[in-house]
């Protein structure tokens, strides 16, 4: 019987991933970038594709002609991404690791009239290009790069940027770490397209996280003095001459900074400020006059995640306005923001993203809990479908998982908390899974699979899923996001529990069959909750933080923990002790699975191992799953399928531990 159940689960999970990814069909399952040629109207997109046989996803570029036909820029095993048309529309620039080793992206150019033709850009030996931007005259390209092997963002599934060359060495030779920062730096340069010359920007000790043109004669950047991932939380905005030399400090902030960009004339600088993490930036818009003075905070009616200037006086933005996503343009002279697109669903991955077209148009890589990724072109409120990626099998899956409902409840102190509830179609009183996001400053949006295929898999297999956005989440302003600072596992814990109680009281779910899962901070909260209550039938913590002290000394961004916990590793009896799940593991009775990637530098796998061993020593059912090739989240298709099978099997095994109605 157990073998039959195992076989049935594996078949259903494999079928689910086959439906959402369609490996081997050159099928995009998400759109990460979308840009329109200003001259021809041809659109270039980039996104992930799984090849036949699985493996890790590759990123490809697709070109959508005026006739609506989609053609891939290439179909080999290399990665192409981040397309940008030149201002005159004659050239497509993009990043590719073709011929440079996996993830070692370099700049490439293709003629718009013959995209099969390739002109290599400058090859930065030992570095990988992360981002670039055309100058307004199209004669120069600003390049931001990282040493191959530098830390990837904490929210990224991988651990490193690019792939540094490995020298052959004897098997006995030790790995040596000195505490130095060699081969971790990020830099900015300007490449002259015609002459091929490179101009270095910045000096030693200036680590460039982001860089954008600031008029034709300067570059504005977000810098830190340290190149480590933790250094990102201690940054400033600086400006350098386009002729080279050091960046000169412009302004600093006690908060995180991201998405810096300047008006084409260089007179105004926009940036997003808040409590967030790299690649998951969502916060308040600040607008600076380059000549000095205090910044303004234009009221655009949303938390901002993406910025781009349409012209010197019009700033395009994308953001989150609970419970949906908006895109619009701010007139910086009048301070009036015009919303040009709004949806209860969303656009972009991780945080909202759309791109401007001309004076009023918008390209929207949209999706929702009941809508597979697609591309819209919006002009004066009219939506035109440019590309629909949904396959026939997607409709049947959506009918099974249903759509998500935006819900609200109160924390124990009366604070209003938002979230979403997904209930499977045709299931009476389904079991309930609390699915907790990372961060703590990430957020859930009404998005396809809620940005995590495991979530929709659970719904497809008959589970109701609650997606809470407790205090500390982005999208509700700085005060709401800051409420978790110094209170990890405090009131945010009660926000999650109150959300569970609300769903049980007001929706037809089986509260006796209750589960909890989540990754990163969601993994921390999962391990923390099982030390505080035994109401869950089972739990699954993915990439968890279980012990703040050992995390501080092993993760690649200890500064983050100091900022967000307001504690330190040498304080005995402080938050590092009181709010570390490992410290309270003797209180756990809930069967708990721990999942981690052995390549994870954000929440090292030892965090999962410690908590698992603590439970095993007290005879609490536990299973430790370590994936040797994965980082902070499972990316390889085989690992995603295996993880789905294991989680479903774990929940099925323990779902009647606390009684409840049996599945129909």
């Amino acid at each position: 019987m157990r073998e039959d159940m195992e076989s049935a689960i594996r078949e259903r999970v494999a079928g689910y991933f086959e439906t959402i990814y369609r490996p081997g069909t050159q099928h995009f399952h998400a759109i990460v970038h979308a840009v329109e040629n200003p001259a021809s109207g041809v659109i270039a997109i980039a996104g992930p594709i799984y090849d036949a046989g699985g493996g890790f996803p590759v990123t490809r570029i697709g070109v959508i002609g005026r006739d609506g036909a989609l053609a891939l820029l290439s179909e080999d095993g290399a990665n192409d991404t981040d397309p940008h048309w030149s201002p005159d529309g004659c050239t497509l620039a993009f990043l590719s690791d073709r011929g440079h080793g996996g993830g070692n992206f370099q700049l490439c150019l293709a003629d718009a009239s013959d995209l099969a033709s390739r002109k290599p850009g400058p090859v930065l030996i030992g570095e990988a290009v992360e981002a670039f931007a055309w100058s307004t005259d199209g004669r120069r390209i600003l390049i931001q790069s990282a040493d191959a092997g530098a830390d990837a963002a904490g929210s990224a599934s991988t651990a490193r940027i690019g792939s540094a060359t490995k020298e052959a060495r004897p098997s006995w030779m030790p790995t040596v770490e000195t505490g130095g920062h060699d081969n971790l730096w990020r830099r900015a340069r300007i490449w002259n397209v015609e002459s091929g010359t490179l101009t270095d920007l910045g000096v030693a000790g200036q680590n460039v996280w982001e860089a954008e043109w600031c008029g034709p004669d300067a570059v504005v950047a977000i810098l830190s003095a340290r190149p480590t991932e933790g250094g990102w939380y201690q940054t400033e905005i600086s400006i350098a001459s386009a002729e080279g030399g050091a960046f000169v400090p412009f302004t600093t902030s006690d908060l995180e900074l991201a998405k810096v960009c300047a008006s084409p004339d260089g007179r105004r600088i926009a940036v997003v400020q808040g409590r967030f993490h790299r690649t998951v930036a969502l916060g308040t818009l600040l607008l600076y006059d380059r000549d000095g003075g205090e910044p303004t905070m234009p009221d655009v009616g949303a938390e901002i995640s993406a910025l781009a200037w349409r012209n010197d006086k019009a700033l395009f933005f994308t953001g989150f306005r609970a419970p949906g996503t908006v895109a619009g343009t701010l007139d910086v002279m009048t301070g009036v923001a015009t919303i040009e697109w709004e949806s209860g669903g969303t656009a972009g991955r991780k945080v909202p993203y759309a791109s401007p077209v001309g004076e009023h148009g918008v390209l929207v890589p949209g999706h929702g809990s009941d809508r597979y990724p697609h591309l819209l072109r919006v002009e004066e409120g009219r939506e035109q479908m440019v590309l629909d990626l949904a396959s026939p099998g997607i409709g049947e899956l959506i009918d099974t998982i249903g759509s998500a409902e935006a819900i609200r409840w109160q924390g124990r102190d009366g604070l209003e908390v938002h979230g979403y509830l997904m209930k499977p179609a045709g299931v009476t009183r389904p079991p309930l899974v609390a699915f907790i996001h990372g961060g703590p400053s990430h957020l859930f949006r009404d998005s396809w699979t809620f940005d995590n295929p495991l979530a929709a898999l659970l719904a497809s297999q008959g589970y109701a899923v609650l997606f809470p956005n407790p205090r500390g989440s982005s999208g509700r302003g700085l005060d709401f996001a800051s409420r978790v600072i110094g209170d990890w596992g405090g009131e945010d814990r009660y926000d999650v529990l109150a959300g569970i109680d609300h769903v049980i009281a007001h929706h037809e779910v089986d509260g006796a069959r209750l589960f909890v899962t989540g990754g990163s901070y969601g993994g921390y909260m999962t391990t923390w909750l099982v030390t505080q209550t035994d109401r869950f039938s089972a739990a699954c913590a993915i990439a968890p933080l279980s012990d703040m002290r050992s995390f501080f000394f092993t993760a690649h961004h200890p500064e983050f923990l100091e900022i967000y916990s307001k504690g330190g590793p040498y304080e005995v009896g402080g938050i590092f002790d009181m709010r570390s799940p490992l410290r309270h593991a003797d209180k756990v009775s809930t069967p708990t699975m721990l999942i981690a990637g052995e390549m994870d530098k954000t929440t090292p796998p030892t965090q999962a191992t410690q908590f698992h061993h603590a439970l095993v020593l007290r005879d609490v059912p536990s299973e430790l799953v370590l994936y040797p090739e994965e980082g902070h989240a499972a990316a390889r298709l085989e690992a995603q399928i295996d993880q789905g099978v294991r989680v479903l099997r774990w929940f099925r095994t323990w779902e009647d531990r606390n009684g409840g109605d049996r599945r129909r």
Side-chain angles (χ1 to χ4, degrees):
M1 179 67 72
R2 182 177 178 83
E3 291 181 359
D4 291 342
M5 181 183 77
E6 176 82 12
S7 177
I9 289 176
R10 183 165 293 277
E11 182 177 347
R12 291 197 298 269
V13 172
Y16 165 82
F17 282 101
E18 175 74 25
T19 298
I20 66 170
Y21 289 148
R22 297 178 63 198
T25 63
Q26 299 299 315
H27 174 77
F28 288 102
H29 58 265
I31 300 173
V32 180
H33 303 281
V35 288
E36 183 172 305
N37 187 307
S40 68
V42 171
I43 295 171
I45 65 171
I49 288 175
Y50 279 103
D51 287 332
F56 290 97
V58 294
T59 58
R60 298 267 163 79
I61 290 176
V63 179
I64 306 171
R66 295 301 301 270
D67 60 357
L70 173 67
L72 293 181
L73 195 64
S74 65
E75 298 185 23
D76 57 18
N79 292 280
D80 298 327
T81 190
D82 202 10
H84 291 271
W85 298 102
S86 59
D88 61 7
C90 293
T91 305
L92 179 67
F94 60 97
L95 300 181
S96 178
D97 65 4
R98 186 172 288 98
H100 303 293
N104 290 326
F105 288 102
Q106 302 293 326
L107 184 65
C108 288
L109 305 179
D111 192 301
S113 62
D114 181 15
L115 291 174
S117 64
R118 305 289 173 83
K119 174 186 175 182
V123 177
L124 306 179
I125 303 299
E127 299 179 39
V129 179
E130 292 188 294
F132 67 95
W134 287 93
S135 62
T136 54
D137 61 8
R139 298 172 61 187
R140 296 167 295 168
I141 296 178
L142 171 63
I143 299 172
Q144 184 268 319
S145 63
D147 285 335
D151 289 342
S155 60
S157 59
T158 186
R160 297 289 194 186
I161 296 296
S163 52
T165 302
K166 294 183 178 180
E167 297 180 1
R169 46 186 279 169
S171 59
W172 60 265
M173 186 173 288
T175 298
V176 179
E177 183 176 315
T178 66
H181 295 146
D182 293 342
N183 303 318
L184 294 178
W185 292 91
R186 287 172 160 83
R187 304 171 182 84
R189 300 178 178 90
I190 294 174
W191 180 54
N192 187 297
V193 177
E194 182 177 352
S195 69
T197 58
L198 280 170
T199 301
D200 292 335
L201 304 178
V203 295
Q206 293 185 322
N207 190 71
V208 182
W209 296 99
E210 296 182 21
E212 288 287 347
W213 289 100
C214 189
D217 61 347
V219 169
V220 62
I222 295 177
L223 307 181
S224 68
R226 292 167 58 87
T228 61
E229 185 65 19
W232 182 85
Y233 294 89
Q234 303 165 331
T235 57
E236 64 180 31
I237 297 176
S238 296
I239 298 175
S241 167
E243 296 181 358
F247 281 96
V248 177
F250 177 74
T251 188
T252 61
S253 175
D254 293 332
L255 301 172
E256 286 78 73
L257 299 169
K259 309 301 179 183
V260 68
C261 60
S263 57
D265 61 10
R267 294 180 58 189
R268 298 176 181 85
I269 297 171
V271 70
V272 176
Q273 173 183 273
R275 287 295 184 197
F276 46 72
H277 307 295
R278 195 158 68 94
T279 75
V280 196
L282 186 66
T284 302
L285 170 63
L286 295 185
L287 197 59
Y288 289 90
D289 190 311
R290 183 176 168 184
D291 291 335
E294 292 298 312
T296 60
M297 288 196 234
D299 182 8
V300 298
E303 290 278 280
I304 303 304
S305 52
L307 294 169
W309 290 87
R310 290 188 187 272
N311 54 53
D312 292 335
K313 300 176 182 179
L315 177 62
F316 176 78
F317 61 87
T318 318
F320 183 77
R321 182 162 68 189
T325 295
V326 298
T329 298
L330 171 70
D331 184 325
V332 299
M333 304 304 293
T334 65
V336 175
T338 302
I339 300 301
E340 294 155 335
W341 176 79
E342 184 170 6
S343 173
T346 192
R349 305 184 82 186
K350 295 188 178 181
V351 291
Y353 157 80
S355 67
V357 178
E359 293 297 312
H360 304 288
V362 185
L363 277 182
V364 178
H367 53 100
S369 59
D370 60 352
R371 190 72 175 86
Y372 198 76
H374 56 278
L375 184 65
L376 299 174
R377 193 186 191 282
V378 182
E379 189 81 42
E380 296 182 347
R382 296 187 300 272
E383 295 185 358
Q384 174 192 354
M385 179 65 71
V386 176
L387 179 66
D388 190 348
L389 295 176
S391 63
I394 290 295
E396 183 177 341
L397 175 61
I398 291 173
D399 290 341
T400 301
I401 63 178
S403 60
E405 174 187 355
I407 60 175
R408 302 184 180 195
W409 63 91
Q410 289 188 334
R412 70 170 185 171
D413 59 355
L415 182 70
E416 184 175 87
V417 182
H418 298 176
Y420 302 88
L421 177 65
M422 180 179 283
K423 289 180 63 179
V427 180
T428 303
R429 287 178 54 79
L432 176 65
V433 179
F435 205 111
I436 306 171
H437 65 60
S441 61
H442 296 191
L443 84 160
F444 282 121
R445 304 165 292 156
D446 187 333
S447 55
W448 177 245
T449 74
F450 278 84
D451 295 321
N452 190 320
L454 179 61
L457 172 65
L458 289 167
S460 75
Q461 299 305 305
Y463 292 88
V465 186
L466 168 65
F467 302 96
N469 283 324
R471 69 193 69 202
S473 303
S474 295
R476 298 274 303 279
L478 179 59
D479 177 71
F480 191 85
S482 298
R483 285 174 179 256
V484 76
I485 305 296
D487 191 36
W488 274 37
E491 290 302 320
D492 55 345
R493 164 193 20 154
Y494 292 107
D495 290 347
V496 174
L497 293 174
I500 292 170
D501 292 337
H502 172 84
V503 171
I504 292 172
H506 297 281
H507 299 268
E508 289 294 322
V509 300
D510 184 358
R513 290 185 295 159
L514 183 61
F515 303 87
V516 61
T517 189
S520 196
Y521 190 79
Y524 162 78
M525 185 58 70
T526 297
T527 55
W528 180 242
L529 284 172
V530 297
T531 71
Q532 305 298 303
T533 178
D534 64 355
R535 67 186 297 189
F536 297 104
S537 298
C540 176
I542 302 170
L545 183 162
S546 65
D547 179 58
M548 293 188 189
R549 186 167 285 108
S550 60
F551 172 92
F552 185 88
F553 292 115
T554 56
H556 67 172
H557 59 329
E559 298 91 336
F560 150 78
L561 187 58
E562 280 189 312
I563 293 169
Y564 275 73
S565 71
K566 284 192 172 180
Y570 302 108
E571 180 186 1
V572 178
I575 192 171
F576 272 45
D577 290 320
M578 298 309 297
R579 296 287 173 82
S580 286
L582 188 65
R583 172 68 174 76
H584 303 273
D586 60 332
K587 303 172 186 175
V588 178
S589 61
T590 304
T592 303
M593 173 179 281
L594 288 305
I595 297 176
E598 292 187 9
M599 305 299 291
D600 192 353
K601 293 173 65 65
T602 303
T603 53
T606 49
Q607 293 293 306
T609 301
Q610 289 178 100
F611 200 74
H612 166 69
H613 287 170
L615 299 189
V616 169
L617 288 169
R618 297 189 62 82
D619 295 324
V620 177
S622 181
E623 188 171 306
L624 175 66
V625 181
L626 300 178
Y627 291 102
E629 297 178 316
E630 304 299 327
H632 198 48
R636 190 182 182 100
L637 180 55
E638 295 90 332
Q640 291 191 56
I641 293 172
D642 184 78
Q643 176 179 266
V645 170
R646 291 179 184 279
V647 173
L648 283 176
R649 183 177 61 205
W650 189 254
F651 285 0
R652 289 281 197 267
T653 298
W654 300 105
E655 71 173 15
D656 295 323
R657 188 175 75 93
N658 294 332
D661 300 333
R662 285 203 171 265
R663 189 176 309 278
R664 63 184 177 89

